[in-house]
Amino acid sequence: MAAAAEPRARAWLGGSSPRPGSPASSPELGGRGRARPGPGPGSGSGSGPERAGARTPGPAASGHSFRKVTLTKPTFCHLCSDFIWGLAGFLCDVCNFMSHEKCLKHVKTPCAGVAPSLVRVPVAHCFGLRGLYKRKFCSVCRKALEAPALRCEVCELHVHPDCVPFACSDCRQCHLDGHRDHDAHHHHWREGNLSSGARCEVCRKTCGSSDVLAGVRCEWCGLQAHSVCSAALAPECTFGRLHTMVLPPACVRLLSRNFSKMHCFRISEGSAPETGEWKAALGPGVRARGKQTLKIFDGNDALQRNHFRVITVPRLARSEEVLVREPPLRAADPGQWECRGGGQQRPWVPRGRTGGLDHPRCAPHPGSLEDLPCLAQVRPRPKAQGLPIVPCRVGVAYVSIRVTPQSTARTVVLEVLPLLGRQAEGPESFQLVEVLMGSRQVQRTVLEDEEPLLARLRDIRQTSLRQMTQTRFYVAERRVVAPRVSLYVAGLPPGLSAQEYGSLLDEAVATKAGLVSVSHVYSSQGAVVLDVACFAEAERLYMLVRDTAVHGRPLTALVLPDVLHTKLPPDSCPLLVFVNPRSGGLKGRDLLCSFRKLLNPHQVFELTNGGPLPGFHVFSQVPCFRVLVCGGDGTVGWVLAALEEMRHRLACPEPSVAILPLGTGNDLGRVLRWGAGYSGEDPLSVLVSVDEADAVLMDRWTILLDAHEAGGAENSVADVEPPKIVQMSNYCGIGIDAELSLDFHQAREEEPGKFTSRFHNKGVYVRVGLQKISHSRGLHKEIRLQVEQQEVELPSIEGLIFINIPSWGSGADLWGSDSDSRFEKPRMDDGLLEVVGVTGVMHMGQVQGGLRSGIRIAQGSYFRVTLLKATPVQVDGEPWVQAPGHMIISAAGPKAHMLRKTKQKPRKAGTPKDARADGVPVSEGDPK
């Protein structure tokens, strides 16, 4: 099916802003428009709960083409979400919008046919893994998501897999990319999929629905409203309750010409669905009596690749009925098209590129998918004299011009500038930019001044009709954008200089001199940041580094943005979020997506993809920021250790750290009141709690492990192990405690898929403990303890534990609450560690049950432990077997700044359930 076009031409002015009240800037369009290039597969006239009826033109402002239909099952209005009583409703042929007759004049949500032209800033989506999203609706075809569907990792777009090619590039703009700057940040409205109890910000009535795609929500500030009521709200977005925590898009720069949004937001490409396949599954019995099934090829490109869609139409269907069933055509004006190659009163199979009506593929009774009739070409009507060039923003949605065979990029610019009132600036200051708004990537091409536009448009429409409807042209100011891409490369050998790392990368991936330079070196981590002065070279290096190993270690490559810290608002204190998706089963993965949507995706980092170092590098120049770590105690220790190494490079050397506990024990999270573990709380309420949390101090400890045999044997295996240093925040266990942790760790490494439940994990701990309940090893005979240079005699124990916080083993109080004149009352910031002994598994179980406490041994700030034989050791839940030698525990410099959740206050009597504070619902226990 070859593409054609409209008879008029339209152009955008890149970089300019719409005036208030223009269609492009109205709240119902979100500054970008409710863009849906067409309904998804399977939609069309005659499908769903209605039968065809008389056509009724829709409101001109929204561009719908409504027709009256007879309803055959319960149906709801997509505007007011109320039930449609009676047997008649009004359905838009293009986007499946259903409405009461009384609601037609109030419809402001733009139709799929006009919405793409109202998108102010085209931004591609990032589709992740398929999942089941109950009571959600597809934003393209407006139908329920009853099978595994896709969602954008950055905005609230939900789509069927088959609807992905028709999803418009109207995702959130999260950074500057050198193509345009925005003077004011407008609401980014997304229609539907609100909670059933959502309240309109204007009229305070329910605006959410679990029956249809209704209501709108701003993707930045979270305001919810009816689509009609949203027009009463100011267009500027203030980021709502989280305004101090959000990294504003205007403060982030990322030149990403050759990188997809998956690369820019560091989203694993393994989660992206396959693209390009239009083949629809055709099961037995699909064709009903009196129907015929046709294959649809979207232009020559789809025909060459044999990518098609399957539709079912009546055998006596007219060509116009076939056109209205096909999504790419439904996004255009059917009056501008005609079908060639088929009669008006016979099964319609127009002439295709691979043959005419007598072609074997056009058999009247197909027996298989490959033998279906071929629907080939659709052409513009002969009266069409021009082709579209696309919008130019000046207080209206666009201006329209005609294109002739003599039209070039320069003549178009000359014709458009007077319409914009900018002819005095001269055409040499502007250029014509072609923009292809793909659902996954927005591609831009600067046209040469003498480029003939008519021939170019004909090539595009012959290639693909969908590509034609998604192609627009901007009249943009000429700017010289100096290419600069920051690539983070990790996995290199530690301890080298910048010159050595440069030589190593040159040997491994052949970096080009003059285009690539090493800007930052993190020698202890074996990581560097490269500045690349060429887009093509940056893309080549990124793809090559990820497939390269150095000294047997695979390299990691990330594209990092630049934070323009001088543009941050005075009260801004953005939140740097680290998420360990392997913690808490699948909860870490869901939280990763939720925080990307609530905040700027550039401030959310996945720890399994490069660790915490890239996040601290991006925020290194931010004068004030906070950190949220989503994971277990081991994950928190990992981030705190990286923070300690990066402290001298940060403009904010002491950021406060909050915890969202996802692990099994979560002792530090318990102490700081973040709970025993995440159990599905609303991520928005979590962020509000972080914003309201109190700052507290916590001691950090350094453990030097010098693995040398105490007897001084020269031929010992332990002698070859170099000394190493680990950091401790919670506790350090030697003996039976570490042995149980080690057995659990090994079991999880063997079958990680079984360890997704906190309850199951604790059950494994109990089982491992029962297996060792009769085991006795006499730890007090195998170690020596020195406290503050004084030898301490150990009682008969099986485990020795150094505790820094009043929680151990999933919340147990190992030290006990009884007063003791020999020791000070423990605190997490007193510069002292408490040393406690346990006599075995039974004693540990009694401590966790609250029946006993541990054996108090010592309290101090400096410890020296001598291991006489290989002994299990664990630090903050990370276990290993330590060879004979010495362990020296001492304070680790500055204390860590942590965030402790404020105590929950009871809600005042009479507070309505839907009460909100700055656009955020007040949950049970939160202050109003």
Side-chain angles (χ1 to χ4, degrees):
M1 180 176 60
E6 300 172 299
R8 297 292 298 177
R10 296 166 290 180
W12 295 76
L13 178 64
S16 62
S17 302
R19 295 172 185 168
S22 70
S25 62
S26 60
E28 63 270 22
L29 303 182
R32 295 168 179 81
R34 312 298 314 141
R36 290 185 305 278
S43 58
S45 61
S47 64
E50 74 283 333
R51 294 196 297 269
R55 186 175 303 278
T56 302
S62 58
H64 290 284
S65 179
F66 286 109
R67 60 185 172 86
K68 191 173 184 179
V69 294
T70 301
L71 304 178
T72 58
K73 67 178 184 180
T75 309
F76 295 84
C77 176
H78 291 193
L79 179 68
C80 66
S81 71
D82 289 338
F83 185 78
I84 300 180
W85 296 96
L87 300 178
F90 287 82
L91 175 72
C92 176
D93 276 331
V94 178
C95 66
N96 291 337
F97 193 100
M98 179 67 72
S99 173
H100 292 103
E101 182 176 9
K102 64 180 181 179
C103 293
L104 286 179
K105 60 183 179 180
H106 301 295
V107 174
K108 295 183 179 296
T109 302
C111 177
V114 301
S117 64
L118 301 176
V119 176
R120 182 188 180 196
V121 180
V123 180
H125 293 285
C126 300
F127 294 109
L129 292 170
R130 295 190 183 189
L132 288 173
Y133 304 108
K134 297 181 180 179
R135 308 197 74 83
K136 298 289 186 181
F137 295 87
C138 176
S139 295
V140 174
C141 69
R142 309 183 72 87
K143 295 187 176 182
L145 302 178
E146 299 174 350
L150 300 169
R151 67 179 179 184
C152 178
E153 298 280 329
V154 180
C155 70
E156 291 292 335
L157 187 81
H158 291 75
V159 292
H160 294 106
D162 291 338
C163 292
V164 170
F166 309 107
C168 187
S169 300
D170 64 340
C171 193
R172 289 192 299 167
Q173 183 186 8
C174 299
H175 59 261
L176 306 177
D177 63 0
H179 296 288
R180 67 262 167 182
D181 296 331
H182 37 266
D183 44 6
H185 196 84
H186 291 177
H187 289 295
H188 187 108
W189 298 110
R190 177 69 68 204
E191 184 185 10
N193 291 322
L194 309 179
S195 63
S196 57
R199 296 281 181 172
C200 177
E201 187 69 20
V202 178
C203 67
R204 306 305 303 162
K205 296 180 180 180
T206 301
C207 61
S209 173
S210 58
D211 301 304
V212 292
L213 196 71
V216 293
R217 177 183 182 273
C218 176
E219 292 299 292
W220 284 108
C221 67
L223 285 181
Q224 300 173 133
H226 296 100
S227 59
V228 175
C229 294
S230 63
L233 296 172
E236 290 78 17
C237 179
T238 61
F239 298 103
R241 174 64 179 82
L242 305 178
H243 69 279
T244 60
M245 308 177 74
V246 174
L247 190 61
C251 301
V252 185
R253 180 179 59 200
L254 178 59
L255 306 181
S256 56
R257 193 189 68 178
N258 291 347
F259 291 102
S260 70
K261 289 297 178 291
M262 304 291 283
H263 297 159
C264 296
F265 296 140
R266 304 167 301 280
I267 299 174
S268 174
E269 291 185 87
S271 64
E274 296 181 0
T275 61
E277 286 295 334
W278 270 37
K279 293 185 178 180
L282 187 65
V286 170
R287 294 185 297 276
R289 180 180 302 178
K291 301 280 188 178
Q292 67 170 336
T293 307
L294 301 177
K295 291 193 300 186
I296 303 293
F297 290 87
D298 181 19
N300 296 337
D301 183 61
L303 196 62
Q304 292 172 357
R305 295 184 298 160
N306 197 30
H307 289 170
F308 56 85
R309 288 175 24 80
V310 177
I311 65 171
T312 301
V313 297
R315 290 191 176 276
L316 298 180
R318 294 176 177 271
S319 57
E320 289 81 0
E321 295 181 52
V322 177
L323 289 177
V324 83
R325 277 176 167 76
E326 177 51 23
L329 293 175
R330 294 176 69 186
D333 181 4
Q336 299 290 338
W337 308 90
E338 68 173 359
C339 306
R340 296 191 177 185
Q344 295 295 313
Q345 299 295 335
R346 56 175 296 179
W348 184 65
V349 186
R351 190 175 305 278
R353 186 181 178 197
T354 57
L357 292 175
D358 56 349
H359 192 270
R361 289 191 176 185
C362 297
H365 300 290
S368 66
L369 190 64
E370 292 298 325
D371 296 329
L372 292 177
C374 176
L375 176 65
Q377 290 194 352
V378 179
R379 300 181 182 277
R381 294 187 181 277
K383 66 179 182 179
Q385 301 295 325
L387 294 171
I389 292 211
V390 222
C392 190
R393 234 179 254 268
V394 276
V396 294
Y398 52 78
V399 294
S400 180
I401 61 174
R402 286 189 177 273
V403 179
T404 66
Q406 292 74 35
S407 298
T408 63
R410 181 176 179 82
T411 61
V412 167
V413 173
L414 287 171
E415 186 174 353
V416 167
L417 288 181
L419 301 177
L420 306 177
R422 305 187 66 171
Q423 62 272 24
E425 300 180 44
E428 63 279 355
S429 302
F430 298 89
Q431 59 189 4
L432 196 62
V433 181
E434 177 187 308
V435 178
L436 175 59
M437 298 167 53
S439 60
R440 291 182 177 85
Q441 189 167 7
V442 176
Q443 301 176 1
R444 294 174 175 81
T445 304
V446 179
L447 302 182
E448 298 293 336
D449 287 345
E450 303 305 320
E451 178 87 28
L453 289 182
L454 191 60
R456 188 175 187 90
L457 290 170
R458 285 173 175 167
D459 290 341
I460 296 174
R461 72 176 184 178
Q462 292 292 332
T463 300
S464 167
L465 172 60
R466 180 165 53 89
Q467 181 175 335
M468 184 71 225
T469 60
Q470 292 180 336
T471 301
R472 63 205 301 174
F473 294 80
Y474 281 85
V475 177
E477 297 178 3
R478 293 184 184 271
R479 297 181 181 179
V480 179
V481 179
R484 181 180 177 274
V485 180
S486 295
L487 283 183
Y488 172 85
V489 180
L492 298 167
L496 303 182
S497 65
Q499 293 76 13
E500 291 172 324
Y501 281 125
S503 301
L504 189 61
L505 288 173
D506 184 47
E507 179 182 350
V509 295
T511 56
K512 296 182 179 179
L515 296 179
V516 182
S517 61
V518 178
S519 62
H520 295 81
V521 176
Y522 300 99
S523 181
S524 61
Q525 299 289 328
V528 298
V529 178
L530 304 178
D531 273 353
V532 187
C534 173
F535 291 123
E537 175 66 5
E539 183 182 24
R540 185 189 73 86
L541 285 178
Y542 177 81
M543 303 304 294
L544 192 58
V545 165
R546 295 192 307 167
D547 297 329
T548 302
V550 174
H551 298 175
R553 293 181 58 190
L555 300 181
T556 299
L558 298 175
V559 181
L560 299 183
D562 294 325
V563 176
L564 308 178
H565 61 280
T566 57
K567 292 186 177 182
L568 288 170
D571 61 341
S572 177
C573 186
L575 185 68
L576 175 59
V577 181
F578 294 110
V579 181
N580 187 349
R582 296 177 182 174
S583 299
L586 299 178
K587 294 177 181 176
R589 175 72 181 83
D590 292 337
L591 282 171
L592 194 65
C593 184
S594 297
F595 287 137
R596 285 191 181 122
K597 293 176 181 179
L598 290 170
L599 303 171
N600 191 322
H602 288 299
Q603 61 190 111
V604 182
F605 288 79
E606 182 179 348
L607 286 172
T608 55
N609 190 16
L613 187 57
F616 286 124
H617 172 80
V618 170
F619 274 61
S620 59
Q621 299 303 315
V622 178
C624 178
F625 69 93
R626 289 169 289 185
V627 179
L628 173 63
V629 182
C630 307
D633 287 342
T635 301
V636 177
W638 183 14
V639 173
L640 291 177
L643 175 60
E644 186 65 31
E645 291 190 13
M646 283 286 295
R647 191 182 301 274
H648 65 284
R649 297 174 181 247
L650 299 178
C652 177
E654 297 179 345
S656 299
V657 180
I659 301 172
L660 183 57
L662 299 180
T664 302
N666 304 314
D667 289 289
L668 185 56
R670 296 170 189 265
V671 171
L672 296 175
R673 300 179 186 155
W674 297 108
Y678 178 71
S679 55
E681 292 87 356
D682 181 15
L684 177 60
S685 65
V686 172
L687 294 178
V688 172
S689 297
V690 171
D691 192 37
E692 297 173 348
D694 301 321
V696 296
L697 297 176
M698 183 184 70
D699 295 328
R700 292 273 292 163
W701 299 86
T702 297
I703 303 178
L704 173 64
L705 303 169
D706 191 6
H708 289 280
E709 196 154 308
E714 296 181 358
N715 297 325
S716 172
V717 177
D719 287 335
V720 302
E721 297 183 9
K724 63 178 181 180
I725 297 177
V726 297
Q727 302 289 329
M728 184 192 81
S729 301
N730 301 354
Y731 38 69
C732 170
I734 304 174
I736 186 63
D737 170 45
E739 190 173 341
L740 295 180
S741 182
L742 183 61
D743 289 349
F744 172 84
H745 178 76
Q746 292 173 346
R748 183 168 56 181
E749 289 294 317
E750 292 175 0
E751 296 180 295
K754 294 184 177 181
F755 291 79
T756 59
S757 166
R758 192 177 297 114
F759 181 79
H760 173 268
N761 294 352
K762 292 182 179 180
V764 174
Y765 263 117
V766 173
R767 187 177 71 247
V768 171
L770 292 176
Q771 293 172 352
K772 299 180 179 295
I773 197 169
S774 60
H775 179 71
S776 176
R777 58 186 300 161
L779 181 69
H780 61 286
K781 301 177 182 178
E782 300 171 357
I783 66 174
R784 300 287 184 269
L785 174 63
Q786 207 174 35
V787 181
E788 307 289 1
Q789 309 299 329
Q790 294 183 1
E791 191 80 18
V792 175
E793 183 177 355
L794 296 176
S796 178
I797 57 175
E798 298 297 324
L800 188 68
I801 304 170
F802 300 82
I803 54 177
N804 182 47
I805 61 175
S807 179
W808 166 86
S810 301
D813 186 1
L814 188 60
W815 183 261
S817 58
D818 296 339
S819 59
D820 193 329
S821 58
R822 298 176 300 165
F823 307 109
E824 298 181 15
K825 185 177 180 179
R827 295 202 327 268
M828 59 189 298
D829 62 345
D830 59 1
L832 298 176
L833 277 181
E834 288 70 45
V835 186
V836 184
V838 292
T839 59
V841 174
M842 184 66 71
H843 187 187
M844 293 170 59
Q846 292 172 335
V847 170
Q848 291 186 331
L851 302 177
R852 293 179 60 184
S853 58
I855 302 174
R856 299 178 180 178
I857 296 176
Q859 191 179 50
S861 59
Y862 177 86
F863 306 87
R864 182 185 183 93
V865 181
T866 303
L867 304 180
L868 303 180
K869 59 183 296 186
T871 307
V873 174
Q874 67 95 359
V875 175
D876 291 345
E878 302 298 323
W880 70 91
V881 176
Q882 180 63 26
H886 301 290
M887 294 176 56
I888 299 176
I889 306 176
S890 59
K895 301 179 187 293
H897 290 248
M898 308 299 294
L899 288 173
R900 183 172 58 193
K901 187 176 182 180
T902 56
K903 291 184 178 180
Q904 296 181 345
K905 300 177 182 179
R907 192 172 62 185
K908 295 181 180 179
T911 302
K913 294 182 179 180
D914 59 304
R916 295 162 60 96
D918 295 328
V920 178
V922 177
S923 60
E924 184 69 30
D926 287 341
K928 183 178 177 181

